[in-house]
Amino acid sequence: GIELLVDGGRDRSVLRELPKVMGVLDRSIDVVVATHPDADHISGLADVFARYRVHYYMEPGVENDTSAALRLKDAVSRESDVETILARRGQRLSLGGGAYADILYPNGDVSKLETNTGSIIMRVVYGETEFMLTGDAPLSIENWLVTQKEELRSDVLKAGHHGSRTSTSDQFLAAVAPALVVVSAGEDNSYGHPHQEVLERVAEAGARTLSTIESGT
């Protein structure tokens, strides 16, 4: 019964989608996570705070003064009962019924890092199923995680950085060993996501790819 929302998209359309999975009468969210302060990940979250009662807000602590980041900061500050948590490696969010989310990164202060490099990486475990969520973390952070010799295996991997060639390395795919890789990208997006190199890496790793371009919101 505990609800965790990870990122909120580029605009208010998140408000149309939440009632479909939460129900129209549910107006509270236990934990909202902003993986990093890029507009395409956080712009919708200010509206979420205005519409829903949020108990905990988790972010990596990357400094950013864009309009989207400042608007979200203002929205959070308006809610006196929201507790803000800096995400750090080793934290575990209990989601009820034995489900949990482990924070794998950041492993320290990321305030001065480039936004993608400071992305929160979390592994969500729900029963026998695991989900690896990496924000827009680049290859260097993925490969650092591999060197830490911890359990990364997950049934579902959300492709890093929307399927950009800057993420989802061969080493990371081998360590995570997903059955399914989900790409979150818009149709005909200007970045060309997902990049062909990533789709080929995923296929060579023996995983199946699903994309929001063909199916999903």
Side-chain angles (χ1 to χ4, degrees):
I2 296 175
E3 292 161 328
L4 167 70
L5 172 65
V6 182
D7 288 341
R10 185 177 290 279
D11 54 38
R12 290 173 53 88
S13 60
V14 63
L15 297 182
R16 293 197 303 271
E17 302 304 325
L18 285 174
K20 297 177 184 179
V21 289
M22 295 173 57
V24 295
L25 299 180
D26 189 348
R27 301 304 291 271
S28 68
I29 300 175
D30 296 279
V31 187
V32 168
V33 174
T35 58
H36 62 296
D38 281 358
D40 58 328
H41 288 255
I42 66 167
S43 291
L45 290 181
D47 297 296
V48 170
F49 277 92
R51 179 75 61 87
Y52 290 86
R53 182 187 178 202
V54 177
H55 299 280
Y56 296 96
Y57 170 59
M58 175 174 275
E59 50 105 355
V62 178
E63 293 181 0
N64 195 271
D65 61 357
T66 62
S67 58
L70 294 175
R71 182 168 175 259
L72 175 56
K73 184 177 180 180
D74 181 64
V76 174
S77 68
R78 291 174 184 268
E79 307 300 325
S80 59
D81 55 348
V82 175
E83 181 175 341
T84 298
I85 302 170
L86 279 180
R88 291 294 180 264
R89 180 176 173 81
Q91 294 169 336
R92 171 170 289 187
L93 305 179
S94 176
L95 303 176
Y100 58 89
D102 282 342
I103 305 301
L104 307 181
Y105 186 85
N107 64 331
D109 180 18
V110 293
S111 59
K112 304 301 182 184
L113 294 185
E114 184 270 335
T115 55
N116 290 342
T117 307
S119 289
I120 295 173
I121 299 177
M122 64 166 56
R123 181 173 180 262
V124 180
V125 179
Y126 186 91
E128 296 299 314
T129 305
E130 305 90 20
F131 302 82
M132 182 68 72
L133 308 177
T134 66
D136 286 351
L139 299 170
S140 60
I141 302 301
E142 291 179 348
N143 294 336
W144 174 83
L145 268 182
V146 173
T147 68
Q148 302 308 298
K149 307 299 183 184
E150 67 182 295
E151 183 59 75
L152 299 177
R153 292 178 69 89
S154 302
D155 298 286
V156 181
L157 168 66
K158 188 181 77 67
H161 203 175
H162 315 283
S164 167
R165 62 176 65 91
T166 62
S167 302
T168 317
S169 69
D170 290 324
Q171 297 95 317
F172 195 59
L173 280 167
V176 177
L180 186 65
V181 174
V182 178
V183 176
S184 176
E187 187 173 10
D188 298 323
N189 65 84
S190 60
Y191 300 99
H193 296 155
H195 291 151
Q196 186 61 34
E197 302 99 303
V198 174
L199 298 178
E200 291 172 359
R201 288 178 208 159
V202 171
E204 290 171 3
R208 185 163 63 100
T209 300
L210 280 181
S211 172
T212 56
I213 293 173
E214 286 87 27
S215 57
T217 58

